């Protein structure tokens, strides 16, 4: 342990020699974010905050006029949320499954990365279950909790179509029959379709949503590396969004070149599919911005050969043909914010300015100075397009010593119009609602 801590201290010192990033909380935001020149270093920038959890009675901070409560606690590594039509909330509890063959985990850089992931609370055994939470008396706290499904494989996204609940495991989508009000699945899961998974499965989180008409499923698959480090053969079908037709059972690639897409939702005005994407690392503290973008059928978004229209010269061989066809993302979300959660606000409990806009859970950086993310942000929309200014909606996940009290992941709107936020370090689902009166 002493050797590890000494090595980490030396690495943090080395990382501190790199040029610090911008202290502007909205650096890299907007439809045309600034793109500084890339920087290279022997090791990536290291923030290395320590995960300490929430002290009793402490909660994240919301804007004036809102109140934050613990909807449910004690949920090991809660990552994603889904609100059922009757108001019950499904909470997916998962962490990374076993992985082999990842070159990024070998050598000095791999060792550094593994130690830092432990420090920020990202390497824990996967609970592999979904918990049902019910607030039957409407007081903003779930008094009913049951194990809804277990024995899954790092479950993440969930979506309901009719009487079928679909769950995205780390290796594909499965289904369960569902009837309103049930508190536990009945029977074993049925495989619906496979997704690229082990043995590497570097970005393991898979999300799934249903089209508004319930005819198709859309599933996210992150890349197997930073910039193709494990070879492009290992990236087959990855860094993409897949479409599955429920009637024909046919599955196809819908969009590609998205390094690590997570949140998915349909914009309420136009019905277009939008996603949030984590961009690549090791180009400097302020490059490149993660992003929010609409997703075109057949669209290619640049990874690994380019980002925001700029060529990534580290990727060999060069592919100018792929760079030329890459689509520019719609809206920057800041560098290394690890933007994961996405939901458009369709409720009517919040003030009018929030309606139709996007809430985004930013899990937070480990490889940037100063730290970035660790908050929920709001991006206003008008006419189906994102606008400005963005707003920090939920903060306080870092304490005064820059230690991690929590990390926001999935976001969802409950049946009464409050915002729910999954916190996978605090093991809490937070609820943000308008203050009484």
């Amino acid at each position: 342990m002493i050797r590890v801590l000494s090595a980490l201290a030396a690495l943090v010192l080395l990382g501190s020699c790199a040029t610090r990033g911008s202290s502007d909380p909205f650096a890299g935001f907007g439809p045309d974010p600034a793109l500084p020149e890339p920087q290279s270093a022997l090791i990536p920038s290291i923030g290395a905050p320590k995960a300490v959890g929430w002290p009793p009675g402490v909660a994240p901070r919301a804007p004036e006029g809102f109140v934050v409560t613990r909807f449910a606690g004690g949920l090991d590594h809660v990552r994603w949320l889904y609100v059922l039509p009757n108001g019950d909330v499904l909470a997916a509890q998962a962490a990374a499954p076993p992985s082999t063959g990842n070159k990024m985990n070998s050598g000095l850089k791999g060792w550094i990365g593994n130690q830092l992931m432990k420090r920020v609370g990202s390497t824990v055994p996967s609970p592999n279950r979904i918990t049902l939470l019910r607030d039957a008396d409407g007081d903003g706290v779930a008094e009913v909790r049951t194990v809804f499904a277990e024995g899954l494989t790092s479950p993440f996204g969930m979506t309901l179509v009719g009487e079928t609940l679909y769950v995205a495991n780390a290796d594909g989508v499965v289904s369960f029959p569902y009837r309103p009000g049930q508190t536990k699945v009945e029977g074993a899961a049925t495989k619906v379709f496979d997704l690229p998974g082990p043995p590497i499965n570097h970005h393991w989180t898979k999300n799934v949503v249903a089209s508004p008409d319930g005819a198709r499923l859309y599933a996210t698959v992150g890349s197997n590396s930073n910039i193709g480090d494990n070879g492009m053969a290992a990236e087959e079908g990855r860094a993409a969004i897949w479409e599955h037709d429920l009637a024909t059972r046919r599955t196809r690639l819908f969009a590609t070149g998205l390094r690590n897409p997570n949140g998915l939702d349909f914009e309420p005005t136009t019905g277009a599919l939008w996603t949030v994407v984590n961009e690549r690392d090791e180009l400097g503290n302020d490059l490149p911005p993660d992003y929010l973008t609409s997703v075109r059928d057949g669209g290619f978004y640049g990874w690994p050969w380019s980002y925001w229209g700029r060529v990534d010269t580290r990727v060999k061989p060069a592919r100018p043909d792929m760079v030329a066809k890459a689509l520019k993302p719609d809206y920057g979300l800041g560098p290394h914010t690890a933007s994961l959660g996405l939901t458009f606000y369709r409720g009517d409990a919040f003030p009018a300015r929030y309606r139709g806009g996007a809430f985004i859970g930013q899990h937070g950086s480990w490889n940037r100075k100063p730290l970035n993310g660790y908050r929920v942000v709001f991006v206003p929309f008008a006419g189906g397009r994102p606008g400005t200014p963005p707003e920090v909606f939920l903060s306080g996940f870092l304490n005064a010593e820059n230690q991690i009290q929590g990390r926001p992941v999935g976001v969802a709107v409950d049946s009464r119009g409050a915002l729910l936020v999954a916190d996978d370090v605090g093991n809490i689902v937070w609820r943000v609602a308008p203050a009484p009166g």
Side-chain angles (χ1 to χ4, degrees), residues 311-403:
V311 176
D312 191 333
T313 58
R314 301 173 299 172
V315 182
K316 305 296 182 184
R319 289 289 303 273
D321 58 323
M322 300 301 287
V323 173
K325 68 182 288 187
L327 298 172
K328 178 186 173 184
D330 288 297
Y331 196 94
L333 294 173
H336 310 294
T337 54
S339 296
L340 298 176
L342 170 66
T343 190
F344 287 103
Y345 189 75
R346 297 174 175 85
D348 57 10
F350 285 12
R353 73 177 186 276
Y354 291 105
R355 292 171 196 168
F359 286 101
I360 297 160
Q362 297 191 316
H363 199 220
S365 63
W366 60 269
N367 56 346
R368 184 182 190 268
K369 286 191 173 184
L371 297 174
N372 208 8
Y374 298 97
R375 61 195 178 182
V376 175
V377 297
F378 174 77
V379 175
F381 268 64
R385 303 297 302 169
T388 55
E391 172 188 338
V392 175
F393 185 76
L394 199 63
S395 61
F397 290 89
L398 295 173
N399 65 18
E401 289 75 39
N402 258 358
Q403 296 170 320

Side-chain angles (χ1 to χ4, degrees), residues 227-315:
I227 49 168
D229 311 71
N230 293 307
M232 291 308 292
E235 304 296 348
E236 187 70 28
R238 303 191 70 111
I241 294 173
W242 287 80
E243 180 190 76
H244 177 81
D245 188 292
L246 289 171
T248 65
R249 300 184 182 179
R250 292 177 180 172
T251 306
R252 68 182 181 101
L253 282 169
F254 184 77
T256 58
L258 301 151
R259 179 177 175 266
N260 187 23
N262 276 268
L264 287 172
D265 200 2
F266 292 88
E267 195 279 321
T269 302
T270 64
L273 180 64
W274 285 70
T275 188
V276 288
V277 177
N278 291 184
E279 256 294 355
R280 66 203 72 199
D281 295 322
E282 300 182 46
L283 287 173
N285 284 308
D286 284 341
L287 200 69
D290 292 347
Y291 59 85
L292 167 71
T293 193
S294 57
V295 185
R296 298 187 198 174
D297 188 352
F300 171 73
Y301 291 82
W303 187 89
W305 294 282
S306 66
Y307 55 91
W308 289 93
R310 178 182 286 181
V311 176
D312 191 333
T313 58
R314 301 173 299 172
V315 182

Side-chain angles (χ1 to χ4, degrees), residues 88-291:
D88 288 347
V89 178
L90 298 181
Q93 298 172 248
S99 172
T100 60
N102 191 352
K103 294 179 182 178
M104 295 179 64
N105 290 338
S106 62
L108 176 61
K109 279 189 178 180
W111 183 83
I112 294 169
N114 289 333
Q115 296 304 316
L116 294 180
M117 290 299 99
K118 291 179 182 178
R119 185 172 174 85
V120 299
S122 291
T123 54
V124 298
S126 183
N128 291 336
R129 66 176 171 268
I130 297 172
T131 297
L132 181 140
L133 306 169
R134 178 178 294 169
D135 175 16
D137 59 8
D139 66 349
V141 177
E143 71 277 359
V144 175
R145 176 188 311 203
T146 64
V147 175
F148 186 78
E150 53 190 338
L152 299 165
T153 305
S154 299
F156 197 74
M158 300 160 284
T159 192
L160 181 70
V161 178
E163 297 180 343
T164 303
L165 178 73
Y166 296 93
V167 177
N169 280 327
D171 55 2
V173 174
V174 299
S175 68
F176 297 94
Y178 172 79
R179 50 183 171 75
Q182 75 179 73
T183 58
K184 183 177 176 62
V185 298
E186 299 171 354
T190 299
K191 185 173 77 171
V192 181
F193 61 98
D194 293 324
L195 290 169
I200 299 175
N201 218 9
H202 177 66
H203 288 121
W204 59 271
T205 53
K206 309 291 196 297
N207 191 17
V208 63
V209 298
S211 60
D213 62 4
R216 296 169 301 281
L217 301 178
Y218 294 89
T220 64
V221 182
S223 68
N224 242 345
S225 62
N226 184 33
I227 49 168
D229 311 71
N230 293 307
M232 291 308 292
E235 304 296 348
E236 187 70 28
R238 303 191 70 111
I241 294 173
W242 287 80
E243 180 190 76
H244 177 81
D245 188 292
L246 289 171
T248 65
R249 300 184 182 179
R250 292 177 180 172
T251 306
R252 68 182 181 101
L253 282 169
F254 184 77
T256 58
L258 301 151
R259 179 177 175 266
N260 187 23
N262 276 268
L264 287 172
D265 200 2
F266 292 88
E267 195 279 321
T269 302
T270 64
L273 180 64
W274 285 70
T275 188
V276 288
V277 177
N278 291 184
E279 256 294 355
R280 66 203 72 199
D281 295 322
E282 300 182 46
L283 287 173
N285 284 308
D286 284 341
L287 200 69
D290 292 347
Y291 59 85

